[in-house]
């Protein structure tokens, strides 16, 4: 059925709904206008196309991310939003961008290979050709045992392209996970009886190593990288270890290109082929051409801010947003250009229909999320402080809505605070059950992680995480080279923008802010 026909049916169902609302006074006229504006004048896909096709990928510190941020300032101003600007914060590392990459096997066969550069590693300074040296690391090494093992390999890796680790065995998935959640399951979760979910489940506490002498994976990589530099290796190749050509390429965690050799992550299918050729007695030779650039100005990064000013409660603020930065292997469509486009569409809709909110409505697009929620952490610290050490703006904060789980439609919300806060959101969004949205539940976890709403939760403020249908997020597009515009479901994003706009408006108009946890009920910060 065409999208417009579906929306007409939704509008009819909305108009005839007799669902009782126990306490919250909903402005059904505004809710109607939100639906019509989202249907008739959507700018969502236009926004997405610019953020992905024009400015993707948007790695933190890169010129692409700065260009996207500047564009959002101009576009939101053109829509009529006020006070659009960039707020700087200290990233502390140079920016980085991969401009060109090609990897070919030239012996014993000739073929083009599929790979992505590891961020914050150097380029090759032109095409280089070298023989492959396979390197299998010992399991669970200590610093000393790894150093002894690597010292024995020094002559082997000099002048070679080092393939690190045997190829991972990636099995065939016979029964893939569902792309949609059943309404009954979602309704049960967000009725108040469920637990926070999503494509990756609730945040899990970090696991401490059983033996502190055993190196972590990051420590092994850092020690190995320095060894490869010192030993004169030409390049490093890692196995992506995923099916159907998926590649996740993250970064050299030192952010220092002098502490790594040129490094690529190769699709599992190509990595396995090269390894088998070499193991069968056929020496493998590769040609690599990698052009990477670093940008010192990337040490200063920016969050993008724009707003609809409030009226009688203008000093209080309701926020919505998502992270604008992405990883660099694709254009960052599902993670998280679609989330940013959805939030920009939600505030655009509210401004376009002429709302006069009592509280200021502020959209924020963060940078540095992929490196540890750094942009939102900086913003929260600057504006609000912490629960234990509050700044003046702390008491005027009325909630932050965050979306960051791909293209799937919004199905429910989690809010940091008492059950009463979830109850208000549940009632405010009841008219959108025809969109497949089924309410909200509360959480009292102050553990940072997952996405930017937890930066607010951590300091005791009501961060509101939007839970979505999984679609292909966790299985295919999350942080991979498949994360492109083509993987977006427009109808899902439009429906998400509607319900978020309505919820934001409701919080901006209530007499009181969302209830918060009393001081004696506020949990302590996690110790790790």
């Amino acid at each position: 059925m065409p999208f417009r026909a579906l929306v007409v049916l939704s509008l009819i169902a909305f108009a005839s709904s007799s669902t009782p609302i126990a306490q919250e006074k909903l402005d059904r006229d505004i809710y109607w206008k939100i639906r019509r504006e989202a249907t008739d004048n959507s700018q969502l896909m236009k926004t997405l196309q610019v953020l992905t096709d024009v400015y993707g990928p948007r790695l933190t510190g890169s010129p692409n991310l700065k260009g996207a941020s500047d564009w959002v300032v101009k576009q939101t101003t053109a829509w009529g939003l006020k006070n659009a600007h960039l707020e700087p914060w200290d990233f502390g590392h140079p920016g980085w961008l991969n401009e060109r990459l090609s990897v070919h096997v030239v012996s014993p066969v000739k073929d083009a290979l599929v790979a992505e550069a590891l961020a914050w590693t150097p380029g090759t300074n032109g095409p280089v050709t070298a023989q492959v040296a396979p390197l299998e690391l010992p399991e669970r090494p200590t610093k000393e045992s790894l150093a002894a093992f690597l010292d024995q390999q020094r002559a082997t890796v000099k002048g070679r392209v080092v393939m690190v680790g045997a190829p991972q065995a990636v099995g065939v998935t016979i029964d893939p996970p569902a792309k949609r959640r059943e309404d009954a399951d979602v309704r049960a979760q967000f009725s108040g009886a469920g637990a926070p979910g999503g494509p990756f489940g609730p945040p899990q506490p970090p696991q401490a190593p059983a033996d502190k002498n055993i190196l972590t994976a990051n420590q092994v990589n850092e020690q190995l990288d320095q060894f490869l530099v010192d030993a004169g290796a030409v390049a490093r190749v890692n196995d992506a270890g995923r099916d159907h050509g998926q590649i996740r390429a993250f970064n050299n965690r030192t952010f220092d290109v002098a502490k790594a050799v040129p490094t690529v992550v190769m699709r599992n299918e190509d990595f396995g082929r090269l390894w088998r050729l070499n193991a069968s007695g056929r020496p493998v030779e590769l040609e690599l051409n990698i052009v990477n650039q670093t940008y010192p100005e990337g040490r200063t990064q920016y969050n993008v801010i724009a707003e609809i000013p409030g009226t009688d409660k203008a000093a209080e603020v309701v926020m919505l947003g998502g992270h604008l930065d992405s990883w660099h292997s694709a254009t960052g469509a599902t993670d998280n250009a679609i989330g940013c486009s959805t939030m920009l569409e939600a505030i655009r809709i509210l401004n376009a229909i002429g709302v006069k909110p009592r509280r200021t409505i502020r959209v924020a697009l963060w940078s540095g999320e992929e490196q540890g929620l750094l942009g939102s952490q900086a913003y929260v610290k600057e504006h609000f402080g912490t629960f234990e050490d509050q700044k003046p703006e702390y008491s005027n904060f009325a909630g932050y809505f965050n979306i960051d789980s791909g293209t799937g439609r919004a199905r429910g919300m989690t809010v940091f605070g008492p059950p009463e806060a979830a109850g208000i959101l549940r009632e405010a969004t009841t008219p959108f059950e025809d969109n497949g949205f089924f309410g909200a539940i509360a959480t009292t976890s102050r553990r940072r992680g997952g996405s930017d709403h937890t930066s607010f939760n951590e300091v005791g403020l009501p961060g509101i995480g939007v839970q979505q249908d999984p679609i292909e997020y966790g299985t295919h597009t999350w942080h991979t080279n498949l994360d492109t515009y083509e993987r977006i479901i427009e109808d899902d994003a439009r429906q998400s923008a509607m319900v978020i706009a309505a919820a934001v408006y409701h919080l901006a108009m209530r007499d009181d802010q969302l209830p918060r946890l009393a001081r004696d009920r506020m949990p302590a910060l996690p110790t790790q």
Side-chain angles (χ1 to χ4, degrees):
M1 184 182 293
F3 171 74
R4 190 168 300 277
L6 283 171
V7 172
V8 169
L9 290 177
S10 297
L11 291 172
I12 293 171
F14 171 75
S16 62
S17 172
S18 59
T19 304
I21 300 299
Q23 299 175 352
E24 296 300 299
K25 298 178 181 179
L26 306 187
D27 191 331
R28 291 181 175 271
D29 180 60
I30 290 294
Y31 280 20
W32 175 275
K33 291 179 180 178
I34 286 170
R35 289 180 180 255
R36 291 303 300 265
E37 177 65 24
T39 304
D40 295 341
N41 300 309
S42 175
Q43 300 297 305
L44 195 150
M45 297 303 285
K46 291 181 180 179
T47 300
L48 177 72
Q49 192 265 329
V50 173
L51 295 181
T52 55
D53 292 348
V54 178
Y55 292 111
R58 303 170 305 281
L59 187 68
T60 299
S62 69
N64 291 13
L65 179 58
K66 181 58 164 59
S69 301
D70 290 339
W71 179 84
V72 171
V73 169
K74 294 178 182 177
Q75 187 59 56
T76 53
T77 300
W79 285 339
L81 301 184
K82 307 301 181 185
N83 194 31
H85 65 283
L86 303 181
E87 290 198 12
W89 58 274
D90 182 18
F91 181 41
H93 306 293
W96 181 94
L97 183 70
N98 170 245
E99 294 185 357
R100 185 175 304 170
L101 183 149
S102 66
V103 183
H104 291 80
V105 56
V106 295
S107 178
V109 295
K110 298 184 185 299
D111 203 356
L113 306 174
V114 180
E116 298 287 346
L118 195 74
W120 284 282
T121 57
T124 56
N125 295 317
V128 295
T129 301
Q131 193 169 321
V132 158
L135 182 66
E136 291 192 66
L137 299 175
E139 294 185 4
R140 295 171 54 80
T142 64
K143 181 178 181 180
E144 293 75 19
S145 66
L146 181 60
F149 168 79
L150 293 176
D151 192 57
Q152 297 173 357
Q153 313 301 317
R154 192 171 295 271
T156 303
V157 304
K158 182 177 176 61
R160 301 288 185 88
V161 175
V162 180
M163 296 181 66
V164 176
Q168 298 182 46
V170 180
V172 175
T173 301
I174 302 300
D175 297 309
K179 293 179 171 58
R180 297 280 189 195
R181 293 189 61 190
E182 294 291 338
D183 284 358
D185 293 341
V186 180
R187 191 188 298 274
Q189 177 184 349
F190 291 102
S191 66
F200 309 110
Q204 299 296 316
Q207 298 294 318
D211 184 346
K212 293 184 179 180
N213 294 316
I214 301 300
L215 296 177
T216 66
N218 291 335
Q219 290 170 331
V220 169
N221 269 319
E222 187 171 339
Q223 189 169 336
L224 174 59
D225 281 338
Q226 190 60 57
F227 164 75
L228 294 177
V229 171
D230 296 341
V234 168
R236 172 176 172 173
V237 180
N238 298 334
D239 177 14
R242 297 185 63 80
D243 60 1
H244 300 294
Q246 293 181 38
I247 297 173
R248 287 178 179 163
F250 296 115
N251 64 287
N252 162 24
R253 288 181 176 267
T254 70
F255 295 91
D256 185 347
V257 297
K259 293 183 178 180
V261 296
T263 302
V264 299
V265 182
M266 185 175 291
R267 69 175 178 177
N268 178 255
E269 296 86 348
D270 285 342
F271 192 96
R273 179 189 185 188
L274 299 183
W275 190 275
R276 292 188 298 272
L277 283 170
N278 193 81
S280 66
R282 299 173 176 86
V284 174
E285 195 171 44
L286 299 184
E287 179 188 273
L288 301 91
N289 186 14
I290 307 171
V291 180
N292 297 330
Q293 299 292 343
T294 56
Y295 296 87
E297 63 271 23
R299 292 179 177 275
T300 299
Q301 283 304 284
Y302 304 90
N303 297 318
V304 191
I305 307 296
E307 59 192 25
I308 301 173
T311 52
D312 63 307
K313 293 180 177 289
E316 299 182 21
V317 60
V318 179
M319 296 183 66
L320 67 162
H323 71 89
L324 188 57
D325 66 300
S326 76
W327 286 109
H328 57 288
S329 295
T331 57
T334 68
D335 189 19
N336 185 35
I338 189 57
C340 292
S341 300
T342 299
M343 293 314 209
L344 289 172
E345 178 70 357
I347 196 171
R348 185 202 67 79
I349 288 169
L350 293 173
N351 192 68
I353 64 176
V355 300
K356 302 296 181 185
R358 301 180 69 187
R359 295 178 179 86
T360 295
I361 298 174
R362 179 178 300 158
V363 66
L365 304 186
W366 314 110
S367 54
E369 191 270 355
E370 298 293 5
Q371 288 71 44
L373 317 184
L374 301 181
S376 59
Q377 285 281 309
Y379 183 90
V380 168
K381 180 180 179 181
E382 174 68 22
H383 287 268
F384 306 117
T386 68
F387 176 75
E388 293 76 14
D389 185 16
Q390 299 175 14
K391 292 191 173 183
E393 292 181 61
Y394 192 96
S395 62
N396 288 330
F397 183 77
Y400 166 71
F401 293 81
N402 188 81
I403 191 165
D404 181 23
S405 294
T407 189
R409 61 180 170 171
R411 305 303 305 275
M413 296 173 182
T414 62
V415 56
F416 180 83
E420 294 81 3
I424 290 168
L425 287 170
R426 195 177 305 126
E427 291 181 16
T429 54
T430 295
F432 290 88
E433 287 191 353
D434 60 293
N435 285 36
F437 190 90
F438 293 112
I441 54 176
T443 178
T444 57
S445 173
R446 293 180 67 182
R447 186 173 299 281
R448 185 193 314 175
S451 194
D452 292 294
H453 59 289
T454 65
S455 292
F456 294 83
N457 299 0
E458 184 180 29
V459 302
L461 292 171
I464 303 163
V466 178
Q467 306 293 307
Q468 300 168 255
D469 270 337
I471 311 299
E472 298 173 332
Y473 190 57
T475 57
H476 289 78
T477 65
W478 180 58
H479 296 169
T480 78
N481 55 325
L482 306 184
D483 188 8
T484 63
Y485 180 96
E486 287 75 14
R487 303 281 68 80
I488 298 303
I489 302 174
E490 180 179 2
D491 184 29
D492 279 26
R494 288 196 194 202
Q495 293 189 48
S496 297
M498 292 179 196
V499 67
I500 291 166
V504 166
Y505 178 75
H506 185 74
L507 294 196
M509 298 301 291
R510 297 183 79 248
D511 289 338
D512 300 316
Q513 295 179 10
L514 279 177
R516 298 189 191 177
L517 292 173
R519 181 167 290 274
D520 61 353
R521 294 180 60 196
M522 182 65 68
L525 277 170
T527 56
Q528 59 177 356

